[in-house]
Amino acid sequence: MYRVIQLPPDADTRELRRALWAHRIGHRITEDDEGQTLWLADPRQQAEMMRLLAQWQSGEPLMPARGRARRKAGPASGSLTRALRQAPVTAATLGLCLLVFAAMAVFGDLVIALLAIVPLGVAPGGTLAVGSLVEALLAGQIWRPLSPAFLHFGWMHLIFNMLWLWYFGRQVEALQGSGRMLLILLAAGVGANLAQYAAGTVLFGGMSGVDFALLGYVWLMSRRAPGSGFFVPQMLVVFMLGWMVFTMTDMAGAVGFGNVANEAHLGGLVVGLALGWYYSGRARRHH
């Protein structure tokens, strides 16, 4: 985030914030002992922000400007279409997860057997392992190190993972492009799955390893390269890391959260932190 201006502590910024959001200008206003500080997410929008700020400071009404922005933005469906176009990798990943979930509802264990990290046989009592990852790769099944990330075993599992994927993935694509998001998706998906497989598990799935990688990446970018525009609320970091640690304890099993791919979460987080450290270092050298 980029610091723009310090405002008086008693300034009523509601009208200004409404106008900024109407113009799709990402921003934050923080408060401290000295007053309120206005921050800008994308430096390319600085000129537009300063124009609105000057109008607000001079007492000019901002409603007309907000109306123009709304007409330019179009209906809600247009906003959704733009959001999907701005984050195509995130949107495609989300759509593929939904498609796989629907296929699981129709074809059941056959989908799991096809996308699990090792080839599985489907027996009357459920699935069973019939091969190893090395054998699968030698047989040309190169999708298996990544494909378990697209498996979800319940609505809550799916919704929880898709919310964080959309929240963090859009931010990465908006600020650094689809190529960076694709890199994180592939590296974290494979890294998280291999970490879980190394722990001796063959039947697992979910995008949560990628979600934790995105968390680590966005957090490090925001901390080490604040000019990059990344932002994640500190309490969200505490919550997600606390949840990861909680699911590793015996208490999680006692309340019904024992069947969690903990190694995948940790593996994804490590990949995200490594990528975040590397790219935040590059961003600092270039500024």
Side-chain angles (χ1 to χ4, degrees):
M1 301 293 280
Y2 295 82
R3 187 178 186 276
V4 177
I5 192 173
Q6 185 88 33
L7 301 171
D10 58 346
D12 186 352
T13 60
R14 287 176 295 180
E15 183 71 10
L16 174 63
R17 300 198 69 171
R18 283 196 293 268
L20 290 173
W21 285 125
H23 284 263
R24 304 296 192 268
I25 298 176
H27 65 281
R28 288 181 64 210
I29 293 181
T30 59
E31 298 183 12
D32 52 36
D33 294 338
E34 299 179 1
Q36 305 180 71
T37 303
L38 176 62
W39 303 80
L40 174 66
D42 187 348
R44 293 172 296 184
Q45 295 180 305
Q46 183 173 4
E48 184 70 3
M49 172 180 271
M50 295 307 295
R51 183 184 68 80
L52 291 171
L53 181 62
Q55 286 183 244
W56 176 75
Q57 289 177 319
S58 64
E60 297 180 35
L62 298 179
M63 289 297 291
R66 189 176 68 216
R68 287 195 300 271
R70 184 181 296 117
R71 287 193 296 271
K72 181 180 178 181
S77 60
S79 299
L80 177 60
T81 301
R82 277 193 299 276
L84 295 176
R85 288 177 179 174
Q86 290 171 358
V89 173
T90 304
T93 303
L94 193 153
L96 186 55
C97 288
L98 293 175
L99 183 63
V100 170
F101 190 75
M104 289 171 63
V106 176
F107 301 105
D109 290 343
L110 292 176
V111 178
I112 299 174
L114 178 65
L115 299 182
I117 198 165
V118 299
L120 298 175
V122 180
T127 57
L128 66 151
V130 297
S132 70
L133 178 58
V134 173
E135 292 171 345
L137 294 175
L138 291 176
Q141 300 177 19
I142 59 175
W143 65 86
R144 290 196 181 271
L146 177 64
S147 56
F150 299 97
L151 292 170
H152 292 85
F153 301 105
W155 279 108
M156 291 305 297
H157 188 206
L158 177 70
I159 292 172
F160 185 83
N161 283 346
M162 294 305 97
L163 283 174
W164 298 128
L165 175 69
W166 187 244
Y167 178 83
F168 291 117
R170 288 174 61 199
Q171 192 171 163
V172 171
E173 289 200 71
L175 294 173
Q176 294 186 331
S178 298
R180 184 66 49 81
M181 178 58 192
L182 183 61
L183 172 63
I184 297 172
L185 171 66
L186 295 177
V190 172
N193 290 337
L194 290 180
Q196 191 64 43
Y197 180 64
T201 310
V202 296
L203 183 55
F204 60 88
M207 195 60 61
S208 50
V210 175
D211 290 341
F212 275 101
L214 289 167
L215 169 71
Y217 183 86
V218 171
W219 177 73
L220 265 186
M221 289 296 302
S222 68
R223 299 289 293 182
R224 299 189 72 230
S228 63
F230 283 98
F231 170 72
V232 56
Q234 199 65 27
M235 283 306 299
L236 179 56
V237 177
V238 173
F239 167 75
M240 292 191 70
L241 293 181
W243 174 257
M244 184 179 71
V245 172
F246 171 72
T247 56
M248 294 179 179
T249 66
D250 294 335
M251 291 185 296
V255 295
F257 290 103
N259 191 21
V260 178
N262 296 311
E263 288 79 5
H265 294 173
L266 185 58
L269 180 63
V270 170
V271 171
L273 290 174
L275 290 173
W277 186 271
Y278 173 73
Y279 283 108
S280 62
R282 285 185 54 180
R284 292 171 69 177
R285 289 193 295 271
H286 291 164
H287 285 79

